[in-house]
Amino acid sequence: MPEAGGTHRVHGFALPPLAAYVHIPWCVRKCPYCDFNSHAAGPELPEEAYVDALLADLQADLPRVHGRRLVSVFFGGGTPSLFSPRALGRILEDLERHVGFADDVEITLEANPGTFEQAKFRDYRGLGINRLSIGVQSFQEAKLKALGRIHDGREAIRAADMARAAGFDNFNLDLMHGLPDQTIEDALADLRTAIAQGPTHLSWYQLTLEPNTVFWSQPPELPEDDTLWDIQEAGQALLAERGYGQYEISAYAQPGRRARHNLNYWTFGDFLGLGAGAHAKLSDADGRIQRLWKTRLPKDYLAADKPFLAGERLLDAGELPFEFLMNALRLTEGVPTELFGQRTGLPLAVLAEGRRDAEARGLLIDDPGRLAASARGQLFLNDLLQRFLP
């Protein structure tokens, strides 16, 4: 397979499924732990202007679609539920008209309990949005206050009730652990409360201190490592007991309710990235794979004299093993070995040396038919991935 200029001509490559991520970059208030591209909303959101920009951004990306329909759409942020049903409807109409939806398309909207209005969410459901992801983080007042959240525990429970009343039978609750001064009992109480709301999916992940956040410069006192480990073990046991199977590092689902949008990321699928600071991964029929990113600041994204595309980079063949495994090995079951060739166009032999090393260290399972981290490899994922660096 000849290579030139960082591109590669591939054998057996198949265009992967295509998803779309739509970024809404405003929140009521910026949380001190958040390192996402989100900004405190002013008294008036430039909703119409931003949707106009999103639709123009989509038009610019259409040549990269290559006839594929969308298997999922994810409205993320920020807080997308700050936008009206009319605004989100315009986006969905354009996506369906110009790209098209798979028959079983999954359309997810992120929302925070403080932005829930039952009539508004019924309208969202009427648009075809069929999954919610509700940012609860905790149900305990002291913990929510420490995290800078604007809702309380009662509002979080009411949000789940309203989601069901609005017609959503598929929703995720986002929950954090390892919070300031959190005990095992605190963490399990949050989990039990979340489970009692009957979500089909739970994202349960540890608070980490990220650069460029308030918590990074003014760190709170977090639990000791032994406590964090105990929380993780006890929480995983509770989730398994209640029927939530872990299928990714921080994702737990009832049978048949795994998040298809996120699974597309983890299996190295393609995705459009629309909106301020959105990232994309897109392949062409010749097997070239690009990462793209859009202009980050909303004011620049909205400026008529500035392009939507801030940068793009063609992935070299030597980078693809790490890029693929960085995603696929997050899955507890891993992926079938043939997926590597289908998504990268490279022969499985390019992984041979790294696989032998990882298997010898007990980080990768010894299975010719699967690429999957062992239990030890899941705990030391960064160490495992080091075996496949270019």
Side-chain angles (χ1 to χ4, degrees):
M1 288 180 275
E3 298 182 13
T7 66
H8 59 287
R9 189 81 181 175
V10 295
H11 168 71
F13 177 85
L15 278 171
L18 180 69
Y21 174 80
V22 182
H23 190 68
I24 310 294
W26 291 282
C27 287
V28 174
R29 185 170 67 194
K30 180 82 171 179
C31 295
Y33 59 85
C34 178
D35 69 335
F36 295 150
N37 182 27
S38 60
H39 308 266
E44 287 189 28
L45 284 174
E47 182 180 271
E48 188 168 355
Y50 191 74
V51 173
D52 287 343
L54 282 169
L55 302 187
D57 190 1
L58 171 62
Q59 288 299 315
D61 277 353
L62 285 179
R64 305 176 191 272
V65 168
H66 300 291
R68 290 170 290 176
R69 294 194 296 168
L70 294 168
V71 297
S72 66
V73 179
F74 194 101
F75 290 97
T79 307
S81 53
L82 292 176
F83 270 32
S84 68
R86 177 181 172 275
L88 299 188
R90 285 184 61 202
I91 299 165
L92 288 171
E93 285 170 12
D94 250 48
L95 284 169
E96 186 167 22
R97 180 184 305 118
H98 296 294
V99 185
F101 292 160
D103 292 340
D104 59 348
V105 64
E106 176 191 88
I107 304 176
T108 301
L109 176 73
E110 281 189 336
N112 287 329
T115 64
F116 257 82
E117 302 167 30
Q118 190 164 320
K120 186 177 176 183
F121 279 79
R122 191 174 289 113
D123 289 341
Y124 289 147
R125 185 68 188 91
L127 295 173
I129 296 171
N130 52 24
R131 185 175 181 272
L132 288 179
S133 183
I134 306 171
V136 170
Q137 315 312 354
S138 177
F139 293 91
Q140 298 167 33
E141 306 307 311
K143 301 297 182 283
L144 289 167
K145 184 175 180 181
L147 292 173
R149 304 295 287 171
I150 62 171
H151 67 272
D152 59 30
R154 291 184 302 276
E155 284 180 302
I157 292 170
R158 193 158 58 246
D161 290 339
M162 287 196 292
R164 278 188 295 271
F168 288 95
D169 62 356
N170 189 15
F171 67 94
N172 169 67
L173 295 182
D174 254 6
L175 203 63
M176 299 172 83
H177 61 89
L179 305 181
D181 300 316
Q182 189 177 50
T183 64
I184 300 173
E185 291 73 23
D186 291 336
L188 293 180
D190 263 349
L191 263 184
R192 290 190 184 99
T193 304
I195 291 166
Q197 309 319 307
T200 49
H201 191 284
L202 275 162
S203 297
W204 188 61
Y205 51 94
Q206 184 180 322
L207 170 65
T208 55
L209 305 185
E210 302 290 350
N212 303 314
T213 65
V214 173
F215 273 6
W216 182 261
S217 56
Q218 303 170 37
E221 187 169 338
L222 300 181
E224 298 288 338
D225 286 347
D226 285 349
T227 301
L228 292 173
W229 177 251
D230 290 342
I231 288 172
Q232 183 79 23
E233 281 199 315
Q236 287 178 331
L238 175 62
L239 286 161
E241 176 192 320
R242 300 296 181 86
Y244 291 88
Q246 183 181 13
Y247 67 99
E248 189 266 345
I249 291 172
S250 57
Y252 303 78
Q254 293 178 348
R257 295 296 196 169
R258 296 179 177 188
R260 276 183 267 158
H261 187 83
N262 288 345
L263 277 172
N264 189 56
Y265 289 146
W266 297 323
T267 53
F268 213 49
D270 275 2
F271 52 96
L272 293 166
L274 306 173
H279 284 241
K281 173 202 165 261
L282 294 164
S283 310
D284 67 20
D286 290 325
R288 290 182 291 261
I289 300 173
Q290 286 186 307
R291 292 212 179 267
L292 308 93
W293 53 98
K294 303 298 173 65
T295 297
R296 188 173 192 277
L297 293 177
K299 67 179 180 62
D300 293 334
Y301 185 81
L302 289 167
D305 60 341
K306 296 190 177 178
F308 298 121
L309 187 63
E312 57 186 307
R313 190 172 70 84
L314 197 62
L315 296 181
D316 187 86
E319 300 175 88
L320 289 177
F322 179 83
E323 289 271 342
F324 176 89
L325 293 171
M326 179 176 62
N327 292 281
L329 293 181
R330 291 180 63 95
L331 294 168
T332 55
E333 299 168 0
V335 295
T337 50
E338 61 263 25
L339 191 70
F340 177 75
Q342 292 167 6
R343 295 288 191 265
T344 67
L346 299 175
L348 193 62
V350 302
L351 299 180
E353 184 178 347
R355 288 180 79 183
R356 282 193 297 270
D357 185 17
E359 288 168 5
R361 294 169 184 266
L363 299 171
L364 199 69
I365 64 167
D366 184 0
D367 182 345
R370 295 199 72 76
L371 294 166
S374 64
R376 175 180 171 80
Q378 290 170 21
L379 292 174
F380 300 101
L381 188 57
N382 288 339
D383 190 27
L384 169 54
L385 291 170
Q386 292 291 317
R387 312 297 132 202
F388 301 96
L389 282 171

